[in-house]
Amino acid sequence: MIQFLLILLIVRHGFGTRNDEEKKLNLLVRGWAPLVWLAPGERFMPLGVPEFLEHVQAGDNYLRTRLNIETLLMNESSFLYGKQPDGNVPVYALVKNCINLPISTSSSSATINSFIIDRKRIKQHRAFIPRDENNDINASIQNNEVATTKVKANHGEMTLISDENTFRKLHFHVTYWMFYPFSEGKAVCVLDLGFLGTWPIPSVGGICLGKLKGYGNHVGDWEHMSLYFKGDDYPVAMYVSAHDAGAYYRYDIRSGTFVYESQETRKGIFQKPIFPERVFTSSGSHPVLFSAKGSHGLWTAPGKHKFVRLPRLYDESGFGIPWLTWRRLELLNSDNEQFTPAWMTFRGKWGNPRSNCHPLVRLGFNICEFVDGPTGIPMKNGRFQC
Ligand SMILES: *[C@@H]1O[C@H](CO)[C@@H](O)[C@H](O)[C@H]1NC(C)=O
Ligand SMILES: *[C@@H]1O[C@H](CO)[C@@H](O)[C@H](O)[C@H]1NC(C)=O
């Protein structure tokens, strides 16, 4: 993180406004990073990507574990079980800027005429400082001088104009990505029919007359939530993703909570999970979220949640281990590929191909003990558009 900032400082010296904006953006991304509660009894912890990559090899568009999955699962100190997250495991914050900064329009007719510090506006914006127990954040926002850029375009082509008294607002969205080396599927009640394979059967009165078998496990698991900032020192909206569904919340500054707006099912079996009305914040800014036991789907409240992928199954979340994601954030700038790690460009699947499938899998009966690993960050569309 510090190296990243240093590089930015070197590359951008001479562009005072840009520097200040980067600094401020950093503080906002950190100040509003989520507090994620892992579920009580969670066995599969998150892990940093570089560490995961040491244990897999790429080929045919998949990252496969060097040892077979069953062997790794039998060993509780294998990398599949991840690490205690707090301060150890990075969270990747992918930032997308919505305003083209003046420097990037240099090929056009825009020229930067002057930088004007607008002190009046800085004072006004002090009211919106995220309350955080981290004094550094407070101090740096206070000291952060915000400059306005006056840009004049020739030939009447105005690309970016802000008058001397206008505070140049930061407008961006950020997605916080969390990586887990293994995702545990769900136990399904099955009956073994010999060469016809095992078939899922409904349990009768809550009792499984066959045997319980885990389905839908996979190596590699990306989970995310996004925030949208539009000019203020607090976000306007939040998107939280659980499996193939997700919910939009808007930020209510008076109560300091996120208020439910709408939800969507991105794909798969249509189900309507119930999202709570409000999401609370920790220290006045960090949204408090809950990672489901085993599957790590992100929920906005503790308790039992209808599992999205398979009917009649639930996700469970609660107050297990807190993960203060801002303790170790790595910023990825989607507009600046030179600052993104090489693994960001991998477009294949972050885990082994499916295995131990039902014999009728070729007829579209997609039930496997291990399913394909998920795709990574570049293959997933952000939920906010600029
Ligand atoms: C379990 O995993 C650890 C860490 O990879 C390794 O050092 C150890 O030898 C493994 N134990 C067994 C029994 O395979
Ligand atoms: C943050 O700054 C404000 C204004 O200077 C001050 O009142 C407040 O006590 C500071 N909070 C912390 C935690 O330092």
Side-chain angles (χ1 to χ4, degrees):
M1 193 63 233
I2 287 165
Q3 282 137 323
F4 175 75
L5 279 177
L6 282 177
I7 293 166
L8 280 179
L9 287 175
I10 293 160
V11 171
R12 283 159 188 183
H13 80 105
F15 294 94
T17 32
R18 205 148 186 210
N19 251 335
D20 291 341
E21 281 175 6
E22 292 283 355
K23 239 192 271 173
K24 190 163 173 215
L25 186 137
N26 241 294
L27 291 167
L28 289 177
V29 168
R30 233 165 250 285
W32 291 86
L35 165 58
V36 177
W37 281 96
L38 300 177
E42 177 63 75
R43 293 161 69 217
F44 296 99
M45 301 289 164
L47 193 69
V49 168
E51 238 175 294
F52 174 76
L53 294 177
E54 284 169 21
H55 299 277
V56 294
Q57 52 203 2
D60 289 339
N61 229 21
Y62 286 92
L63 297 180
R64 292 161 213 254
T65 52
R66 291 181 193 276
L67 300 174
N68 78 48
I69 305 179
E70 281 94 344
T71 309
L72 290 166
L73 285 175
M74 279 189 294
N75 183 352
E76 293 229 356
S77 33
S78 85
F79 77 98
L80 281 191
Y81 289 89
K83 267 187 175 175
Q84 290 293 325
D86 210 24
N88 290 322
V89 178
V91 169
Y92 303 99
L94 182 67
V95 173
K96 170 80 187 134
N97 247 309
C98 294
I99 300 174
N100 281 326
L101 297 168
I103 187 168
S104 60
T105 61
S106 55
S107 60
S108 80
S109 51
T111 51
I112 300 165
N113 276 4
S114 56
F115 301 103
I116 296 144
I117 310 290
D118 185 351
R119 291 179 194 282
K120 243 188 302 175
R121 285 281 174 161
I122 298 167
K123 284 207 189 103
Q124 286 170 12
H125 277 261
R126 280 187 182 162
F128 299 116
I129 290 154
R131 297 180 296 280
D132 199 294
E133 77 270 82
N134 187 344
N135 292 349
D136 292 351
I137 289 182
N138 197 353
S140 357
I141 293 186
Q142 303 287 322
N143 299 333
N144 187 13
E145 289 186 328
V146 184
T148 49
T149 321
K150 189 181 164 193
V151 174
K152 255 197 183 161
N154 301 326
H155 317 303
E157 262 182 63
M158 313 295 245
T159 41
L160 177 87
I161 300 157
S162 49
D163 77 42
E164 296 174 18
N165 295 316
T166 311
F167 172 72
R168 242 184 65 97
K169 293 175 177 229
L170 284 173
H171 181 185
F172 67 97
H173 50 85
V174 52
T175 301
Y176 300 88
W177 289 95
M178 289 148 253
F179 183 75
Y180 299 79
F182 192 74
S183 170
E184 219 178 359
K186 294 286 168 185
V188 177
C189 182
V190 293
L191 199 58
D192 196 342
L193 294 181
F195 75 99
L196 285 176
T198 44
W199 289 80
I201 53 166
S203 41
V204 181
I207 297 161
C208 172
L209 298 177
K211 60 172 185 175
L212 286 170
K213 199 165 177 222
Y215 283 99
N217 305 287
H218 54 92
V219 171
D221 181 13
W222 282 105
E223 301 293 337
H224 68 281
M225 68 83 85
S226 309
L227 291 173
Y228 186 50
F229 288 85
K230 203 172 179 182
D232 294 303
D233 288 350
Y234 53 85
V236 247
M238 171 171 76
Y239 180 82
V240 180
S241 164
H243 309 292
D244 292 329
Y248 290 95
Y249 284 81
R250 81 182 150 77
Y251 185 63
D252 175 40
I253 191 168
R254 276 174 311 133
S255 60
T257 60
F258 289 86
V259 181
Y260 175 80
E261 283 269 293
S262 63
Q263 66 176 274
E264 59 164 13
T265 302
R266 294 197 296 272
K267 63 171 187 194
I269 310 159
F270 182 74
Q271 296 229 356
K272 233 177 132 86
I274 294 154
F275 290 99
E277 195 57 28
R278 268 174 206 282
V279 174
F280 295 95
T281 54
S282 165
S283 311
S285 61
H286 306 288
V288 180
L289 301 176
F290 298 84
S291 165
K293 186 174 173 186
S295 71
H296 310 126
L298 277 180
W299 297 96
T300 47
K304 273 191 172 182
H305 312 277
K306 206 188 254 182
F307 191 57
V308 187
R309 263 188 207 132
L310 292 165
R312 274 176 265 113
L313 291 175
Y314 292 89
D315 256 0
E316 280 182 63
S317 60
F319 298 95
I321 297 170
W323 183 6
L324 285 58
T325 64
W326 57 96
R327 293 244 175 107
R328 195 154 167 210
L329 264 191
E330 287 184 18
L331 246 77
L332 310 174
N333 189 333
S334 63
D335 305 317
N336 222 327
E337 273 170 24
Q338 72 199 91
F339 296 125
T340 57
W343 54 259
M344 269 285 288
T345 58
F346 176 68
R347 303 181 85 79
K349 300 200 169 173
W350 283 73
N352 304 35
R354 68 186 185 190
S355 61
N356 301 7
C357 294
H358 191 277
L360 297 184
V361 72
R362 285 198 196 90
L363 301 180
F365 202 77
N366 197 4
I367 291 190
C368 303
E369 190 175 339
F370 298 102
V371 297
D372 274 5
T375 50
I377 299 175
M379 304 303 283
K380 294 180 171 148
N381 293 326
R383 304 325 287 176
F384 288 121
Q385 255 88 55
C386 282

